[in-house]
Amino acid sequence: MKLAEVLGTHETPMWSWCKQLGVDHAVVGLPPERNGMKPWDYINLLHMKQRFENFGFQVEVIEARPPANKIKLGQPGRDEEIATVQELLRNMGKLGIRVWCYDFMAEFNWFRTSTSTRTRGGAIVTSYDHSLMKAAPFTENAPISEDQLWTNLEYYLKAIVPVAEEAGVKLALHPDDPPISPIRGVSRILTSASALDRAVNLVPSEMSGITLCQGTLATAGEDIPATIRHFAQRDKLFFVHFRDVRGNAEKFEETFHDDGKTDMLEAMRTYASVGYDGPSRPDHVPTLTGENNDNPGYESLGRLFAIGYIKGLMEAAYR
Ligand SMILES: [Mn+2]
């Protein structure tokens, strides 16, 4: 397993802290538009990759998506959005960035009903309570059915899988978070391991696989070691989000990595036993005292704890 961390596209203190903690692999976003160069432009991506390499990082994954809501909704303009994704994949291939983490959540991305839930020692985590969303107004384009989303996902994959094959870039589909449907009239389809199976088999390819977000799949009630084995045995495991939760899809909260419902050592032993050697990152972490929680799940101190904890598990499982 390659321990990686998600880092800003330009140098931040976290870049140094990761190198100091022995993290040499980076998961990155898309660079901002600059001098008329779009975020998916070859030169813009090249400059970003060079920034990381000159700092000592190997760029493993791009985990950011160009606009794709029309693709998800099947609206006019989706082919233009698809062309942008195709350009990104081609440029990633030319630059040797081999994994693209993408999602198929329409209208809004991961979602919580609270970003101020107290956990161990007063640290702050995000949480979700589906009962609080029953009265929430529909989004602009809702209602959106599950059938529509499956049809639109297939259309999308038919257009991008051949490009990913040509470019040599792995498509790592992230499950929907929370894994429950619908929210605000918007259906969610990727809410279980079997749904991810169905998705990667819509357009069968060596390049079509998943991001195994442990937190989301644990929320969905999946057995994590069994899920790791299932996707690894089919060569569909391209990227790991290593985190944990307490609760279920109706009501859950995030936790410190050592404080959730999953046996994390057993999970790590399973990655080792299936020979997983791809990238993994801590994913969401609690906000600790002294941090301002501007970026719930992605403040700094909790990440430093997570990295140390994960390194310990890796040493125990992989040695
Ligand atoms: Mn995740």
Side-chain angles (χ1 to χ4, degrees):
M1 175 181 283
K2 292 174 183 162
L3 178 55
E5 185 49 287
V6 61
L7 296 169
T9 59
H10 291 73
E11 188 181 331
T12 64
M14 184 57 74
W15 286 36
S16 298
W17 296 336
C18 282
K19 287 299 293 182
Q20 289 160 7
L21 297 179
V23 176
D24 300 319
H25 303 279
V27 175
V28 304
L30 289 170
E33 185 166 340
R34 196 172 56 88
N35 301 335
M37 293 187 296
K38 297 291 187 190
W40 40 89
D41 175 273
Y42 177 86
I43 301 297
N44 211 357
L45 290 167
L46 171 66
H47 285 171
M48 178 176 73
K49 185 177 182 237
Q50 291 289 100
R51 284 195 293 278
F52 282 104
E53 288 190 351
N54 290 331
F55 207 88
F57 286 112
Q58 186 74 35
V59 175
E60 301 290 342
V61 182
I62 289 185
E63 186 177 344
R65 284 68 87 172
N69 205 43
K70 293 189 176 90
I71 295 171
K72 293 164 183 174
L73 299 176
Q75 285 180 339
R78 70 170 154 177
D79 291 331
E80 289 73 13
E81 287 186 345
I82 285 172
T84 301
V85 172
Q86 290 170 330
E87 183 184 349
L88 171 66
L89 293 172
R90 289 192 183 101
N91 289 335
M92 286 177 64
K94 289 175 191 164
L95 289 165
I97 304 172
R98 294 291 166 212
V99 180
W100 185 50
C101 175
Y102 74 113
D103 74 277
F104 210 70
M105 288 177 266
E107 299 283 80
F108 51 89
N109 201 288
W110 68 286
F111 179 79
R112 298 289 185 264
T113 51
S114 164
T115 57
S116 57
T117 303
R118 295 288 172 169
T119 193
R120 190 170 68 196
I124 295 166
V125 291
T126 71
S127 64
Y128 183 78
D129 182 347
H130 199 56
S131 69
L132 301 176
M133 294 306 293
K134 299 269 155 76
F138 279 21
T139 67
E140 189 187 338
N141 294 297
I144 300 158
S145 75
E146 294 184 15
D147 283 349
Q148 275 176 278
L149 291 171
W150 280 113
T151 302
N152 297 341
L153 176 58
E154 185 170 1
Y155 182 93
Y156 184 33
L157 288 172
K158 278 182 176 159
I160 65 169
V161 166
V163 175
E165 286 175 343
E166 239 172 78
V169 173
K170 292 175 172 174
L171 304 172
L173 181 58
H174 191 289
D176 297 351
D177 183 13
I180 195 165
S181 179
I183 302 171
R184 301 186 64 195
V186 182
S187 289
R188 295 301 204 202
I189 54 174
L190 305 174
T191 55
S192 66
S194 62
L196 288 171
D197 253 336
R198 178 178 168 187
V200 298
N201 288 318
L202 286 174
V203 181
S205 165
E206 281 179 2
M207 290 294 135
S208 185
I210 68 155
T211 296
L212 198 155
C213 181
Q214 278 192 204
T216 305
L217 291 171
T219 303
E222 300 289 1
D223 178 289
I224 295 300
T227 304
I228 295 166
R229 277 191 294 273
H230 176 86
F231 287 102
Q233 282 162 1
R234 287 161 181 76
D235 290 325
K236 295 297 177 195
L237 182 52
F238 295 162
F239 183 31
V240 172
H241 279 181
F242 198 83
R243 77 169 159 91
D244 210 2
V245 295
R246 258 194 304 276
N248 54 44
E250 290 276 341
K251 194 174 193 307
F252 65 90
E253 60 183 63
E254 297 190 349
T255 68
F256 279 97
H257 279 69
D258 64 336
D259 196 33
K261 68 178 189 175
T262 304
D263 183 336
M264 298 296 252
L265 177 56
E266 191 52 35
M268 190 63 81
R269 284 182 172 142
T270 308
Y271 291 116
S273 74
V274 299
Y276 181 67
D277 61 0
S280 172
R281 74 170 180 89
D283 212 7
H284 310 161
V285 297
T287 298
L288 273 64
T289 301
E291 296 182 303
N292 59 19
N293 205 33
D294 279 346
N295 204 359
Y298 288 95
E299 294 293 347
S300 297
L301 295 175
R303 295 211 243 172
L304 304 184
F305 171 77
I307 288 166
Y309 176 73
I310 293 169
K311 281 178 74 88
L313 293 183
M314 286 173 67
E315 186 167 346
Y318 275 83
R319 74 182 307 157

